[in-house]
Amino acid sequence: MSERAPRRVAVTGLGAVSSLGIGAEAFTEAVREGRSGITEISSFDSTGFRHTRAGEVHDFRPQDHLERLPAEKWGRSGQFAAAAARLAARDAGWAGDDLSAARAGSAMGTTNGEARAFQELTEQWLDRGIDGIDGDLAARASADRIAAAVNTELGLHGEAQTFGTACSASNYAIGYGFDLIRSGAMDVMIAGGADAVNRATHAGFHRLGAIAPDLCRPFDEDRAGIMTAEGGAALVLESWDDAVARGARIYAEVLGYGLTCDAKHPTQPDRDGIAECIRRAHKDAGVEPDAVDYVCAHGTGTAANDSTEVAAVREVFGDRIPPISSIKSMLGHTMGAASGFGALACCAALHHGFLPPTATVRAVDPALGPDLDCVPGRARDARPRVVENHGFAFGGNNAIVMLGRAA
C-alpha cells in the first residue's frame, strides 16, 4: 500500500484585532498606507515610566464580534483570540457553527497569556492577602484558555493547543496547524496568536532599556527599541482540495516552515541559529533562496535584533537580498501575536499584490550593509510569489513560515 502524499494547505481566512484596525480589510488598508497604531497608554497607569506609548487596541467591544463566547468570563487575550478567529472564519466563508461538523481545531501562540488577569490578582494579593483574591478572576488567568477561547467561540471539537514560545509563538502555531492538515490528521485549523498590553510586560522591557520613546523604527540608523503592543491574529488553514471544492477564496498556500532553538543567550539573538532556521524553512518548503521575493522581518527596532537578523539573511541569500520590511513599525511588538500579524500581512501581500512597508524608517543604518531595501514609508505595488515570515523570541526560539501565491 503506497504512502499517502502530503496534502497542500491553503489559507482561506484572515482575522485581525489590532491597533491598526479590526478585521482583515481594515488591517490590510492600514498596512498599505503605512499608518501608525501607536498612542499614549490608556489601559494602565503609566506614571513613573519614561516612555509611555504603546500599540493598544482601542474601541474593542468583544460582543460586537463574538457569537458564542461569554466575554465577561474570559481574559482580554482570550477575547482577542476568539474575536480574531470568528472574523477569520467569516472571512473564509464558514458561517455560524459550520466548523463544528468539521475535523477542526486551533493552535494559538502567546508570550504573556492572560497577563492582565495576573496583574490584577497580584494587586489583590498585595492589598488584601491571599484570601482576598477574586476566584472568578483566577479562573480566567490560565494561558491555555487562549486556544480554548477559539474552540469555544467556533464550536470546534479538535485540539486547542496554546504555544508559549513568546514572540515566535504564532509561527509555531501556524507550523503545527500546517503539519496536522498536510498529514491528514485534521481538515481545518485556526492558527495565530494573542497578547494584551499590561504593566508587567511594559515594565520589563522598560528596565531592559528596550522601549523607544516615540515610535519603533526598524533598520533606521537612529532606532531606539520596541513599542509594546497587543492584539489577536488568526488564519484559517485548510486542505487545499477541500477549499477548492467549496469554492473558497484562497489568500495563499502554506509551503513549509523551519524551527531552531540555539539557546545561546537569554535575550541576544544568534546569527547562526537564525540562518539555520531560514535554511530549514526553505528546505521544508522546497524553495531556493533565489525564489523568495520578500521577507517579513521580525524587525523589532533594537540594535541587537536588526543587525543580527540582517546578517543572518545575508548569510543565506548572499548578494541578492530580497526586500525586507517590518510591520512592527506600524503595529508595535504584539509579542506572541507578532508573527501571526506578519503572516496576515504576507497573505494580504500575496493576494492583493504589494510589499508591506517599514513605515517609520528615515535613514537606513549603513552598518546593516549595502543595498538594504526595507520598503520605506508606504507599501509598494508588486507581485510576490514566495514570501518568508520571521518570528524570533528570547532564549533563541526561532520560527519561520514560508507562504506562496495561490496558484
Side-chain angles (χ1 to χ4, degrees), residues 28-66:
T28 300
E29 181 183 351
V31 167
R32 296 188 76 158
E33 294 181 0
R35 292 186 208 153
S36 175
I38 306 302
T39 57
E40 287 295 314
I41 292 170
S42 62
S43 60
F44 63 86
D45 182 2
S46 61
T47 302
F49 290 105
R50 289 181 57 216
H51 304 319
T52 58
R53 290 165 63 78
E56 294 180 315
V57 179
H58 298 292
D59 302 320
F60 173 62
R61 290 167 46 87
Q63 61 270 28
D64 291 345
H65 311 288
L66 302 176

PDB file of all heavy atoms in Angstrom, residues 28-66:
ATOM      1  N   THR A  28      -5.336  45.416   6.492  1.00  0.00           N
ATOM      2  CA  THR A  28      -4.586  45.482   5.237  1.00  0.00           C
ATOM      3  C   THR A  28      -4.497  46.903   4.709  1.00  0.00           C
ATOM      4  O   THR A  28      -3.428  47.351   4.257  1.00  0.00           O
ATOM      5  CB  THR A  28      -5.240  44.572   4.180  1.00  0.00           C
ATOM      6  OG1 THR A  28      -5.247  43.215   4.659  1.00  0.00           O
ATOM      7  CG2 THR A  28      -4.493  44.637   2.860  1.00  0.00           C
ATOM      8  N   GLU A  29      -5.593  47.637   4.767  1.00  0.00           N
ATOM      9  CA  GLU A  29      -5.592  49.019   4.294  1.00  0.00           C
ATOM     10  C   GLU A  29      -4.607  49.864   5.081  1.00  0.00           C
ATOM     11  O   GLU A  29      -3.856  50.666   4.514  1.00  0.00           O
ATOM     12  CB  GLU A  29      -7.003  49.611   4.393  1.00  0.00           C
ATOM     13  CG  GLU A  29      -7.107  51.038   3.906  1.00  0.00           C
ATOM     14  CD  GLU A  29      -8.493  51.624   4.068  1.00  0.00           C
ATOM     15  OE1 GLU A  29      -9.429  50.874   4.406  1.00  0.00           O
ATOM     16  OE2 GLU A  29      -8.648  52.855   3.870  1.00  0.00           O
ATOM     17  N   ALA A  30      -4.588  49.690   6.409  1.00  0.00           N
ATOM     18  CA  ALA A  30      -3.676  50.462   7.254  1.00  0.00           C
ATOM     19  C   ALA A  30      -2.224  50.124   6.957  1.00  0.00           C
ATOM     20  O   ALA A  30      -1.362  51.010   6.914  1.00  0.00           O
ATOM     21  CB  ALA A  30      -3.995  50.214   8.727  1.00  0.00           C
ATOM     22  N   VAL A  31      -1.935  48.828   6.766  1.00  0.00           N
ATOM     23  CA  VAL A  31      -0.571  48.414   6.437  1.00  0.00           C
ATOM     24  C   VAL A  31      -0.143  49.019   5.108  1.00  0.00           C
ATOM     25  O   VAL A  31       0.971  49.553   4.981  1.00  0.00           O
ATOM     26  CB  VAL A  31      -0.463  46.874   6.405  1.00  0.00           C
ATOM     27  CG1 VAL A  31       0.850  46.434   5.766  1.00  0.00           C
ATOM     28  CG2 VAL A  31      -0.568  46.303   7.818  1.00  0.00           C
ATOM     29  N   ARG A  32      -0.998  48.969   4.120  1.00  0.00           N
ATOM     30  CA  ARG A  32      -0.640  49.502   2.809  1.00  0.00           C
ATOM     31  C   ARG A  32      -0.348  50.998   2.868  1.00  0.00           C
ATOM     32  O   ARG A  32       0.529  51.507   2.155  1.00  0.00           O
ATOM     33  CB  ARG A  32      -1.753  49.222   1.790  1.00  0.00           C
ATOM     34  CG  ARG A  32      -1.970  47.760   1.520  1.00  0.00           C
ATOM     35  CD  ARG A  32      -2.925  47.504   0.371  1.00  0.00           C
ATOM     36  NE  ARG A  32      -2.282  47.748  -0.919  1.00  0.00           N
ATOM     37  CZ  ARG A  32      -2.693  47.234  -2.063  1.00  0.00           C
ATOM     38  NH1 ARG A  32      -3.768  46.454  -2.089  1.00  0.00           N
ATOM     39  NH2 ARG A  32      -2.063  47.487  -3.189  1.00  0.00           N
ATOM     40  N   GLU A  33      -1.060  51.699   3.726  1.00  0.00           N
ATOM     41  CA  GLU A  33      -0.884  53.149   3.828  1.00  0.00           C
ATOM     42  C   GLU A  33       0.225  53.538   4.794  1.00  0.00           C
ATOM     43  O   GLU A  33       0.591  54.713   4.870  1.00  0.00           O
ATOM     44  CB  GLU A  33      -2.193  53.814   4.249  1.00  0.00           C
ATOM     45  CG  GLU A  33      -3.291  53.699   3.187  1.00  0.00           C
ATOM     46  CD  GLU A  33      -4.568  54.384   3.607  1.00  0.00           C
ATOM     47  OE1 GLU A  33      -4.600  54.960   4.728  1.00  0.00           O
ATOM     48  OE2 GLU A  33      -5.539  54.348   2.826  1.00  0.00           O
ATOM     49  N   GLY A  34       0.767  52.576   5.520  1.00  0.00           N
ATOM     50  CA  GLY A  34       1.840  52.867   6.465  1.00  0.00           C
ATOM     51  C   GLY A  34       1.379  53.639   7.683  1.00  0.00           C
ATOM     52  O   GLY A  34       2.140  54.417   8.263  1.00  0.00           O
ATOM     53  N   ARG A  35       0.141  53.406   8.126  1.00  0.00           N
ATOM     54  CA  ARG A  35      -0.389  54.113   9.300  1.00  0.00           C
ATOM     55  C   ARG A  35       0.257  53.612  10.584  1.00  0.00           C
ATOM     56  O   ARG A  35       0.747  52.489  10.658  1.00  0.00           O
ATOM     57  CB  ARG A  35      -1.903  53.903   9.402  1.00  0.00           C
ATOM     58  CG  ARG A  35      -2.722  54.550   8.323  1.00  0.00           C
ATOM     59  CD  ARG A  35      -4.196  54.374   8.641  1.00  0.00           C
ATOM     60  NE  ARG A  35      -5.008  54.356   7.442  1.00  0.00           N
ATOM     61  CZ  ARG A  35      -6.168  53.744   7.336  1.00  0.00           C
ATOM     62  NH1 ARG A  35      -6.651  53.054   8.364  1.00  0.00           N
ATOM     63  NH2 ARG A  35      -6.850  53.802   6.207  1.00  0.00           N
ATOM     64  N   SER A  36       0.173  54.424  11.609  1.00  0.00           N
ATOM     65  CA  SER A  36       0.688  54.047  12.923  1.00  0.00           C
ATOM     66  C   SER A  36      -0.461  53.754  13.878  1.00  0.00           C
ATOM     67  O   SER A  36      -1.461  54.468  13.903  1.00  0.00           O
ATOM     68  CB  SER A  36       1.545  55.165  13.521  1.00  0.00           C
ATOM     69  OG  SER A  36       1.948  54.835  14.843  1.00  0.00           O
ATOM     70  N   GLY A  37      -0.296  52.674  14.667  1.00  0.00           N
ATOM     71  CA  GLY A  37      -1.263  52.357  15.709  1.00  0.00           C
ATOM     72  C   GLY A  37      -0.752  52.707  17.093  1.00  0.00           C
ATOM     73  O   GLY A  37      -1.333  52.281  18.101  1.00  0.00           O
ATOM     74  N   ILE A  38       0.307  53.495  17.175  1.00  0.00           N
ATOM     75  CA  ILE A  38       0.938  53.820  18.454  1.00  0.00           C
ATOM     76  C   ILE A  38       0.305  55.069  19.062  1.00  0.00           C
ATOM     77  O   ILE A  38       0.201  56.107  18.407  1.00  0.00           O
ATOM     78  CB  ILE A  38       2.451  54.043  18.280  1.00  0.00           C
ATOM     79  CG1 ILE A  38       3.088  52.822  17.580  1.00  0.00           C
ATOM     80  CG2 ILE A  38       3.110  54.313  19.624  1.00  0.00           C
ATOM     81  CD1 ILE A  38       2.879  51.509  18.299  1.00  0.00           C
ATOM     82  N   THR A  39      -0.127  54.959  20.316  1.00  0.00           N
ATOM     83  CA  THR A  39      -0.749  56.074  21.030  1.00  0.00           C
ATOM     84  C   THR A  39      -0.244  56.085  22.478  1.00  0.00           C
ATOM     85  O   THR A  39       0.460  55.174  22.909  1.00  0.00           O
ATOM     86  CB  THR A  39      -2.280  55.938  21.043  1.00  0.00           C
ATOM     87  OG1 THR A  39      -2.637  54.666  21.638  1.00  0.00           O
ATOM     88  CG2 THR A  39      -2.861  56.002  19.629  1.00  0.00           C
ATOM     89  N   GLU A  40      -0.632  57.109  23.215  1.00  0.00           N
ATOM     90  CA  GLU A  40      -0.335  57.143  24.645  1.00  0.00           C
ATOM     91  C   GLU A  40      -1.085  56.012  25.358  1.00  0.00           C
ATOM     92  O   GLU A  40      -2.231  55.703  25.028  1.00  0.00           O
ATOM     93  CB  GLU A  40      -0.742  58.490  25.253  1.00  0.00           C
ATOM     94  CG  GLU A  40       0.163  59.647  24.878  1.00  0.00           C
ATOM     95  CD  GLU A  40       1.571  59.482  25.431  1.00  0.00           C
ATOM     96  OE1 GLU A  40       1.694  59.129  26.629  1.00  0.00           O
ATOM     97  OE2 GLU A  40       2.540  59.692  24.678  1.00  0.00           O
ATOM     98  N   ILE A  41      -0.428  55.386  26.312  1.00  0.00           N
ATOM     99  CA  ILE A  41      -1.020  54.259  27.034  1.00  0.00           C
ATOM    100  C   ILE A  41      -2.242  54.715  27.834  1.00  0.00           C
ATOM    101  O   ILE A  41      -2.200  55.721  28.542  1.00  0.00           O
ATOM    102  CB  ILE A  41       0.015  53.631  27.985  1.00  0.00           C
ATOM    103  CG1 ILE A  41       1.118  52.943  27.175  1.00  0.00           C
ATOM    104  CG2 ILE A  41      -0.643  52.637  28.945  1.00  0.00           C
ATOM    105  CD1 ILE A  41       2.306  52.500  27.996  1.00  0.00           C
ATOM    106  N   SER A  42      -3.325  53.954  27.702  1.00  0.00           N
ATOM    107  CA  SER A  42      -4.540  54.261  28.453  1.00  0.00           C
ATOM    108  C   SER A  42      -5.054  53.067  29.253  1.00  0.00           C
ATOM    109  O   SER A  42      -5.944  53.218  30.087  1.00  0.00           O
ATOM    110  CB  SER A  42      -5.647  54.727  27.493  1.00  0.00           C
ATOM    111  OG  SER A  42      -5.981  53.716  26.563  1.00  0.00           O
ATOM    112  N   SER A  43      -4.491  51.873  29.033  1.00  0.00           N
ATOM    113  CA  SER A  43      -5.024  50.669  29.673  1.00  0.00           C
ATOM    114  C   SER A  43      -4.495  50.460  31.091  1.00  0.00           C
ATOM    115  O   SER A  43      -5.018  49.627  31.829  1.00  0.00           O
ATOM    116  CB  SER A  43      -4.722  49.439  28.819  1.00  0.00           C
ATOM    117  OG  SER A  43      -3.325  49.270  28.655  1.00  0.00           O
ATOM    118  N   PHE A  44      -3.434  51.163  31.464  1.00  0.00           N
ATOM    119  CA  PHE A  44      -2.956  51.125  32.848  1.00  0.00           C
ATOM    120  C   PHE A  44      -2.285  52.453  33.169  1.00  0.00           C
ATOM    121  O   PHE A  44      -1.966  53.240  32.269  1.00  0.00           O
ATOM    122  CB  PHE A  44      -1.984  49.946  33.080  1.00  0.00           C
ATOM    123  CG  PHE A  44      -0.706  50.007  32.286  1.00  0.00           C
ATOM    124  CD1 PHE A  44       0.401  50.714  32.755  1.00  0.00           C
ATOM    125  CD2 PHE A  44      -0.592  49.330  31.081  1.00  0.00           C
ATOM    126  CE1 PHE A  44       1.591  50.763  32.035  1.00  0.00           C
ATOM    127  CE2 PHE A  44       0.595  49.363  30.349  1.00  0.00           C
ATOM    128  CZ  PHE A  44       1.682  50.084  30.827  1.00  0.00           C
ATOM    129  N   ASP A  45      -2.092  52.703  34.445  1.00  0.00           N
ATOM    130  CA  ASP A  45      -1.460  53.939  34.893  1.00  0.00           C
ATOM    131  C   ASP A  45       0.031  53.885  34.552  1.00  0.00           C
ATOM    132  O   ASP A  45       0.781  53.084  35.106  1.00  0.00           O
ATOM    133  CB  ASP A  45      -1.663  54.109  36.397  1.00  0.00           C
ATOM    134  CG  ASP A  45      -1.072  55.418  36.927  1.00  0.00           C
ATOM    135  OD1 ASP A  45      -0.538  56.207  36.122  1.00  0.00           O
ATOM    136  OD2 ASP A  45      -1.153  55.640  38.150  1.00  0.00           O
ATOM    137  N   SER A  46       0.457  54.721  33.620  1.00  0.00           N
ATOM    138  CA  SER A  46       1.853  54.701  33.169  1.00  0.00           C
ATOM    139  C   SER A  46       2.727  55.706  33.915  1.00  0.00           C
ATOM    140  O   SER A  46       3.875  55.948  33.508  1.00  0.00           O
ATOM    141  CB  SER A  46       1.916  54.977  31.668  1.00  0.00           C
ATOM    142  OG  SER A  46       1.379  56.251  31.367  1.00  0.00           O
ATOM    143  N   THR A  47       2.217  56.265  34.999  1.00  0.00           N
ATOM    144  CA  THR A  47       3.002  57.198  35.803  1.00  0.00           C
ATOM    145  C   THR A  47       4.310  56.535  36.266  1.00  0.00           C
ATOM    146  O   THR A  47       4.314  55.409  36.748  1.00  0.00           O
ATOM    147  CB  THR A  47       2.214  57.650  37.044  1.00  0.00           C
ATOM    148  OG1 THR A  47       1.000  58.252  36.625  1.00  0.00           O
ATOM    149  CG2 THR A  47       3.008  58.651  37.864  1.00  0.00           C
ATOM    150  N   GLY A  48       5.412  57.247  36.097  1.00  0.00           N
ATOM    151  CA  GLY A  48       6.710  56.748  36.528  1.00  0.00           C
ATOM    152  C   GLY A  48       7.542  56.147  35.418  1.00  0.00           C
ATOM    153  O   GLY A  48       8.749  55.965  35.580  1.00  0.00           O
ATOM    154  N   PHE A  49       6.916  55.843  34.283  1.00  0.00           N
ATOM    155  CA  PHE A  49       7.666  55.344  33.129  1.00  0.00           C
ATOM    156  C   PHE A  49       8.164  56.515  32.291  1.00  0.00           C
ATOM    157  O   PHE A  49       7.418  57.477  32.058  1.00  0.00           O
ATOM    158  CB  PHE A  49       6.786  54.444  32.247  1.00  0.00           C
ATOM    159  CG  PHE A  49       6.430  53.122  32.871  1.00  0.00           C
ATOM    160  CD1 PHE A  49       5.151  52.902  33.366  1.00  0.00           C
ATOM    161  CD2 PHE A  49       7.367  52.104  32.967  1.00  0.00           C
ATOM    162  CE1 PHE A  49       4.808  51.687  33.940  1.00  0.00           C
ATOM    163  CE2 PHE A  49       7.031  50.882  33.533  1.00  0.00           C
ATOM    164  CZ  PHE A  49       5.750  50.676  34.030  1.00  0.00           C
ATOM    165  N   ARG A  50       9.388  56.426  31.815  1.00  0.00           N
ATOM    166  CA  ARG A  50       9.920  57.471  30.924  1.00  0.00           C
ATOM    167  C   ARG A  50       9.241  57.430  29.564  1.00  0.00           C
ATOM    168  O   ARG A  50       9.014  58.454  28.929  1.00  0.00           O
ATOM    169  CB  ARG A  50      11.425  57.300  30.752  1.00  0.00           C
ATOM    170  CG  ARG A  50      12.256  57.656  31.985  1.00  0.00           C
ATOM    171  CD  ARG A  50      13.743  57.480  31.705  1.00  0.00           C
ATOM    172  NE  ARG A  50      14.177  58.287  30.562  1.00  0.00           N
ATOM    173  CZ  ARG A  50      15.087  57.908  29.672  1.00  0.00           C
ATOM    174  NH1 ARG A  50      15.625  56.701  29.760  1.00  0.00           N
ATOM    175  NH2 ARG A  50      15.440  58.703  28.698  1.00  0.00           N
ATOM    176  N   HIS A  51       8.906  56.219  29.101  1.00  0.00           N
ATOM    177  CA  HIS A  51       8.284  56.057  27.797  1.00  0.00           C
ATOM    178  C   HIS A  51       6.880  55.487  27.985  1.00  0.00           C
ATOM    179  O   HIS A  51       6.716  54.426  28.604  1.00  0.00           O
ATOM    180  CB  HIS A  51       9.130  55.136  26.924  1.00  0.00           C
ATOM    181  CG  HIS A  51      10.553  55.600  26.766  1.00  0.00           C
ATOM    182  ND1 HIS A  51      10.875  56.924  26.576  1.00  0.00           N
ATOM    183  CD2 HIS A  51      11.728  54.914  26.789  1.00  0.00           C
ATOM    184  CE1 HIS A  51      12.191  57.040  26.479  1.00  0.00           C
ATOM    185  NE2 HIS A  51      12.737  55.839  26.625  1.00  0.00           N
ATOM    186  N   THR A  52       5.894  56.173  27.472  1.00  0.00           N
ATOM    187  CA  THR A  52       4.505  55.878  27.822  1.00  0.00           C
ATOM    188  C   THR A  52       3.612  55.714  26.591  1.00  0.00           C
ATOM    189  O   THR A  52       2.443  56.094  26.604  1.00  0.00           O
ATOM    190  CB  THR A  52       3.944  56.997  28.714  1.00  0.00           C
ATOM    191  OG1 THR A  52       4.048  58.256  28.020  1.00  0.00           O
ATOM    192  CG2 THR A  52       4.704  57.077  30.028  1.00  0.00           C
ATOM    193  N   ARG A  53       4.164  55.134  25.538  1.00  0.00           N
ATOM    194  CA  ARG A  53       3.381  54.890  24.331  1.00  0.00           C
ATOM    195  C   ARG A  53       3.369  53.396  24.021  1.00  0.00           C
ATOM    196  O   ARG A  53       4.308  52.675  24.371  1.00  0.00           O
ATOM    197  CB  ARG A  53       3.948  55.688  23.146  1.00  0.00           C
ATOM    198  CG  ARG A  53       3.731  57.183  23.288  1.00  0.00           C
ATOM    199  CD  ARG A  53       4.600  57.988  22.330  1.00  0.00           C
ATOM    200  NE  ARG A  53       4.318  57.748  20.919  1.00  0.00           N
ATOM    201  CZ  ARG A  53       3.294  58.245  20.234  1.00  0.00           C
ATOM    202  NH1 ARG A  53       2.420  59.045  20.845  1.00  0.00           N
ATOM    203  NH2 ARG A  53       3.130  57.978  18.942  1.00  0.00           N
ATOM    204  N   ALA A  54       2.295  52.957  23.368  1.00  0.00           N
ATOM    205  CA  ALA A  54       2.161  51.535  23.042  1.00  0.00           C
ATOM    206  C   ALA A  54       1.139  51.376  21.916  1.00  0.00           C
ATOM    207  O   ALA A  54       0.415  52.315  21.576  1.00  0.00           O
ATOM    208  CB  ALA A  54       1.730  50.731  24.273  1.00  0.00           C
ATOM    209  N   GLY A  55       1.081  50.183  21.364  1.00  0.00           N
ATOM    210  CA  GLY A  55       0.109  49.879  20.318  1.00  0.00           C
ATOM    211  C   GLY A  55      -1.102  49.183  20.912  1.00  0.00           C
ATOM    212  O   GLY A  55      -1.226  47.956  20.854  1.00  0.00           O
ATOM    213  N   GLU A  56      -2.002  49.963  21.490  1.00  0.00           N
ATOM    214  CA  GLU A  56      -3.194  49.421  22.142  1.00  0.00           C
ATOM    215  C   GLU A  56      -4.356  49.304  21.144  1.00  0.00           C
ATOM    216  O   GLU A  56      -4.464  50.082  20.198  1.00  0.00           O
ATOM    217  CB  GLU A  56      -3.618  50.297  23.310  1.00  0.00           C
ATOM    218  CG  GLU A  56      -2.616  50.306  24.456  1.00  0.00           C
ATOM    219  CD  GLU A  56      -3.055  51.189  25.605  1.00  0.00           C
ATOM    220  OE1 GLU A  56      -3.517  52.324  25.349  1.00  0.00           O
ATOM    221  OE2 GLU A  56      -2.935  50.762  26.759  1.00  0.00           O
ATOM    222  N   VAL A  57      -5.229  48.341  21.397  1.00  0.00           N
ATOM    223  CA  VAL A  57      -6.444  48.185  20.602  1.00  0.00           C
ATOM    224  C   VAL A  57      -7.534  49.023  21.257  1.00  0.00           C
ATOM    225  O   VAL A  57      -7.965  48.740  22.377  1.00  0.00           O
ATOM    226  CB  VAL A  57      -6.885  46.710  20.532  1.00  0.00           C
ATOM    227  CG1 VAL A  57      -8.168  46.585  19.704  1.00  0.00           C
ATOM    228  CG2 VAL A  57      -5.779  45.855  19.933  1.00  0.00           C
ATOM    229  N   HIS A  58      -7.956  50.055  20.558  1.00  0.00           N
ATOM    230  CA  HIS A  58      -8.992  50.938  21.092  1.00  0.00           C
ATOM    231  C   HIS A  58     -10.359  50.563  20.525  1.00  0.00           C
ATOM    232  O   HIS A  58     -10.467  49.982  19.445  1.00  0.00           O
ATOM    233  CB  HIS A  58      -8.662  52.393  20.750  1.00  0.00           C
ATOM    234  CG  HIS A  58      -7.372  52.877  21.348  1.00  0.00           C
ATOM    235  ND1 HIS A  58      -7.204  53.049  22.699  1.00  0.00           N
ATOM    236  CD2 HIS A  58      -6.174  53.179  20.780  1.00  0.00           C
ATOM    237  CE1 HIS A  58      -5.969  53.468  22.947  1.00  0.00           C
ATOM    238  NE2 HIS A  58      -5.321  53.542  21.796  1.00  0.00           N
ATOM    239  N   ASP A  59     -11.389  50.893  21.284  1.00  0.00           N
ATOM    240  CA  ASP A  59     -12.777  50.685  20.844  1.00  0.00           C
ATOM    241  C   ASP A  59     -13.071  49.221  20.527  1.00  0.00           C
ATOM    242  O   ASP A  59     -13.884  48.913  19.631  1.00  0.00           O
ATOM    243  CB  ASP A  59     -13.092  51.553  19.609  1.00  0.00           C
ATOM    244  CG  ASP A  59     -12.868  53.040  19.883  1.00  0.00           C
ATOM    245  OD1 ASP A  59     -13.217  53.489  20.987  1.00  0.00           O
ATOM    246  OD2 ASP A  59     -12.340  53.730  18.990  1.00  0.00           O
ATOM    247  N   PHE A  60     -12.429  48.315  21.254  1.00  0.00           N
ATOM    248  CA  PHE A  60     -12.715  46.891  21.073  1.00  0.00           C
ATOM    249  C   PHE A  60     -13.875  46.493  21.967  1.00  0.00           C
ATOM    250  O   PHE A  60     -13.778  46.554  23.188  1.00  0.00           O
ATOM    251  CB  PHE A  60     -11.478  46.057  21.401  1.00  0.00           C
ATOM    252  CG  PHE A  60     -11.729  44.563  21.413  1.00  0.00           C
ATOM    253  CD1 PHE A  60     -12.140  43.908  20.263  1.00  0.00           C
ATOM    254  CD2 PHE A  60     -11.532  43.821  22.575  1.00  0.00           C
ATOM    255  CE1 PHE A  60     -12.361  42.531  20.266  1.00  0.00           C
ATOM    256  CE2 PHE A  60     -11.738  42.453  22.586  1.00  0.00           C
ATOM    257  CZ  PHE A  60     -12.160  41.810  21.429  1.00  0.00           C
ATOM    258  N   ARG A  61     -14.964  46.106  21.344  1.00  0.00           N
ATOM    259  CA  ARG A  61     -16.145  45.619  22.056  1.00  0.00           C
ATOM    260  C   ARG A  61     -16.331  44.158  21.637  1.00  0.00           C
ATOM    261  O   ARG A  61     -16.841  43.886  20.545  1.00  0.00           O
ATOM    262  CB  ARG A  61     -17.377  46.443  21.685  1.00  0.00           C
ATOM    263  CG  ARG A  61     -17.358  47.870  22.218  1.00  0.00           C
ATOM    264  CD  ARG A  61     -18.447  48.726  21.551  1.00  0.00           C
ATOM    265  NE  ARG A  61     -19.737  48.056  21.499  1.00  0.00           N
ATOM    266  CZ  ARG A  61     -20.653  48.076  22.470  1.00  0.00           C
ATOM    267  NH1 ARG A  61     -20.398  48.744  23.589  1.00  0.00           N
ATOM    268  NH2 ARG A  61     -21.809  47.445  22.327  1.00  0.00           N
ATOM    269  N   PRO A  62     -15.881  43.220  22.489  1.00  0.00           N
ATOM    270  CA  PRO A  62     -15.919  41.808  22.084  1.00  0.00           C
ATOM    271  C   PRO A  62     -17.300  41.340  21.666  1.00  0.00           C
ATOM    272  O   PRO A  62     -17.437  40.521  20.751  1.00  0.00           O
ATOM    273  CB  PRO A  62     -15.403  41.059  23.321  1.00  0.00           C
ATOM    274  CG  PRO A  62     -15.426  42.037  24.446  1.00  0.00           C
ATOM    275  CD  PRO A  62     -15.312  43.388  23.837  1.00  0.00           C
ATOM    276  N   GLN A  63     -18.339  41.879  22.301  1.00  0.00           N
ATOM    277  CA  GLN A  63     -19.691  41.445  21.964  1.00  0.00           C
ATOM    278  C   GLN A  63     -20.096  41.812  20.541  1.00  0.00           C
ATOM    279  O   GLN A  63     -21.043  41.242  19.995  1.00  0.00           O
ATOM    280  CB  GLN A  63     -20.710  42.027  22.949  1.00  0.00           C
ATOM    281  CG  GLN A  63     -20.778  43.542  22.986  1.00  0.00           C
ATOM    282  CD  GLN A  63     -19.834  44.157  23.992  1.00  0.00           C
ATOM    283  OE1 GLN A  63     -18.783  43.578  24.313  1.00  0.00           O
ATOM    284  NE2 GLN A  63     -20.208  45.320  24.522  1.00  0.00           N
ATOM    285  N   ASP A  64     -19.367  42.750  19.929  1.00  0.00           N
ATOM    286  CA  ASP A  64     -19.660  43.112  18.542  1.00  0.00           C
ATOM    287  C   ASP A  64     -19.191  42.042  17.556  1.00  0.00           C
ATOM    288  O   ASP A  64     -19.603  42.048  16.391  1.00  0.00           O
ATOM    289  CB  ASP A  64     -18.977  44.439  18.175  1.00  0.00           C
ATOM    290  CG  ASP A  64     -19.585  45.632  18.888  1.00  0.00           C
ATOM    291  OD1 ASP A  64     -20.692  45.490  19.445  1.00  0.00           O
ATOM    292  OD2 ASP A  64     -18.936  46.695  18.903  1.00  0.00           O
ATOM    293  N   HIS A  65     -18.327  41.133  18.015  1.00  0.00           N
ATOM    294  CA  HIS A  65     -17.719  40.170  17.112  1.00  0.00           C
ATOM    295  C   HIS A  65     -18.003  38.717  17.482  1.00  0.00           C
ATOM    296  O   HIS A  65     -17.954  37.840  16.619  1.00  0.00           O
ATOM    297  CB  HIS A  65     -16.207  40.384  17.074  1.00  0.00           C
ATOM    298  CG  HIS A  65     -15.804  41.806  16.848  1.00  0.00           C
ATOM    299  ND1 HIS A  65     -15.945  42.440  15.638  1.00  0.00           N
ATOM    300  CD2 HIS A  65     -15.311  42.742  17.709  1.00  0.00           C
ATOM    301  CE1 HIS A  65     -15.543  43.691  15.744  1.00  0.00           C
ATOM    302  NE2 HIS A  65     -15.146  43.895  16.977  1.00  0.00           N
ATOM    303  N   LEU A  66     -18.279  38.465  18.745  1.00  0.00           N
ATOM    304  CA  LEU A  66     -18.434  37.097  19.226  1.00  0.00           C
ATOM    305  C   LEU A  66     -19.876  36.625  19.113  1.00  0.00           C
ATOM    306  O   LEU A  66     -20.813  37.405  19.293  1.00  0.00           O
ATOM    307  CB  LEU A  66     -17.961  36.995  20.674  1.00  0.00           C
ATOM    308  CG  LEU A  66     -16.510  37.412  20.942  1.00  0.00           C
ATOM    309  CD1 LEU A  66     -16.206  37.366  22.429  1.00  0.00           C
ATOM    310  CD2 LEU A  66     -15.548  36.517  20.161  1.00  0.00           C
TER     311      LEU A  66
END
